Amino acid sequence: MKIDWTALGSVFGVSLVATVALVGLFTLGVVGLTKQESAARAGGSGALARTGAYACFALCAAAVSYGIYLIIV
């Protein structure tokens, strides 16, 4: 059996970058919701923070959906 180490390393690298990016994007969404709550307590609306958080969550959902699409098709 011969292992193609270059292809394995490439898959590992892309998976690592995608995982870090997805976790970072989800973290930004959670931070945005936290900022929105603290802005609401301080008397502001926090609409920009909430919109940014929802955008981050939507991008996370799109990335996961695309990954599932790649697995199925």
Side-chain angles (χ1 to χ4, degrees):
M1 176 169 62
K2 182 167 172 23
I3 298 174
D4 186 3
W5 290 103
T6 305
L8 183 63
S10 175
V11 168
F12 174 76
V14 169
S15 298
L16 183 66
V17 169
T19 301
V20 168
L22 196 61
V23 169
L25 197 59
F26 189 82
T27 302
L28 283 176
V30 170
V31 168
L33 285 181
T34 303
K35 296 290 183 188
Q36 180 262 329
E37 288 176 2
S38 62
R41 275 189 237 132
S45 68
L48 183 61
R50 183 176 46 243
T51 303
Y54 289 160
C56 288
F57 291 140
L59 287 173
C60 283
V64 169
S65 298
Y66 181 65
I68 292 172
Y69 169 77
L70 288 178
I71 290 172
I72 293 174
V73 175

